[in-house]
Amino acid sequence: MEIVLLLNGKTEENYLQEGIQLFEQRIGRYIRYESKIVPALKNAKNMPIAQQKEKEAELMEKYIEKADFIVLLDERGTEYGSKEFANFLQKQMNKGIRTLMFVVGGPYGFSESVYAKAQEKISLSRMTFSHQMIRLLFTEQLYRGFSILKGEPYHNE
């Protein structure tokens, strides 16, 4: 299985980029992993929110294949503890999925067409975080999930 993190636009802050790179390197020890960046929209501030989400969806859909198992990182998704998330990852690997794609939307979330393509939605917290910050939080949790599955000492309870 391969895991892909599909991101809307580049990560802007250096401290976030450094943290994400650290965890992406660690994740690569466990599984094939790649992050893909959908180019940010130009003149998005001049667009109505609904139009912006639709344009972002059009760009995202170019990276999604029919066989991909799509998981949206979305505030309306299922909340997991770290061990539960590790179990979720294990279940997906057991199903023989070729590509497990986690998708981070733009600042206003996803269009209905993207929701329709998703098989799952996961919420990282009931709190609201910037879509930039979610990238770091998610890559850390992905690393933590694999360290739990391997019985390594990173996760403490």
Side-chain angles (χ1 to χ4, degrees):
M1 183 171 84
E2 174 186 31
I3 293 181
V4 173
L5 179 60
L6 185 62
L7 304 166
N8 185 356
K10 293 181 181 176
T11 304
E12 296 167 2
E13 300 292 336
N14 288 336
Y15 74 95
L16 292 173
Q17 290 173 1
E18 290 172 13
I20 292 165
Q21 288 172 355
L22 170 73
F23 289 113
E24 286 181 337
Q25 289 171 350
R26 291 179 181 182
I27 292 164
R29 291 185 237 153
Y30 301 113
I31 197 162
R32 284 190 352 225
Y33 172 85
E34 179 181 9
S35 60
K36 295 182 179 181
I37 299 171
V38 176
L41 293 176
K42 295 178 180 171
N43 300 318
K45 293 181 182 190
N46 298 327
M47 285 183 210
I49 292 171
Q51 182 184 10
Q52 185 174 333
K53 291 192 313 187
E54 283 303 319
K55 295 268 187 206
E56 289 169 350
E58 290 171 15
L59 293 172
M60 283 181 191
E61 289 170 0
K62 294 177 183 178
Y63 294 83
I64 298 172
E65 295 182 24
K66 282 189 177 188
D68 294 346
F69 189 91
I70 307 299
V71 180
L72 303 181
L73 299 182
D74 184 81
E75 63 190 8
R76 297 181 283 180
T78 303
E79 287 186 35
Y80 291 113
S82 294
K83 283 188 172 182
E84 294 167 320
F85 181 61
N87 290 334
F88 171 83
L89 293 171
Q90 185 65 62
K91 285 178 186 175
Q92 304 318 308
M93 288 187 288
N94 292 347
K95 289 179 184 176
I97 293 168
R98 187 179 57 110
T99 302
L100 177 59
M101 181 179 285
F102 293 93
V103 184
V104 178
Y108 301 109
F110 302 103
S111 72
E112 290 306 315
S113 65
V114 174
Y115 280 115
K117 290 186 181 335
Q119 285 85 5
E120 296 278 343
K121 294 181 296 210
I122 293 178
S123 172
L124 296 182
S125 174
R126 289 178 40 211
M127 294 180 184
T128 301
F129 298 101
S130 74
H131 69 290
Q132 295 282 315
M133 184 69 72
I134 286 297
R135 300 164 186 216
L136 176 59
L137 296 174
F138 177 75
T139 53
E140 190 279 338
Q141 281 299 301
L142 190 57
Y143 170 68
R144 182 177 297 272
F146 280 106
S147 72
I148 289 169
L149 292 175
K150 294 293 184 180
E152 296 176 351
Y154 181 76
H155 179 75
N156 298 313
E157 272 197 6

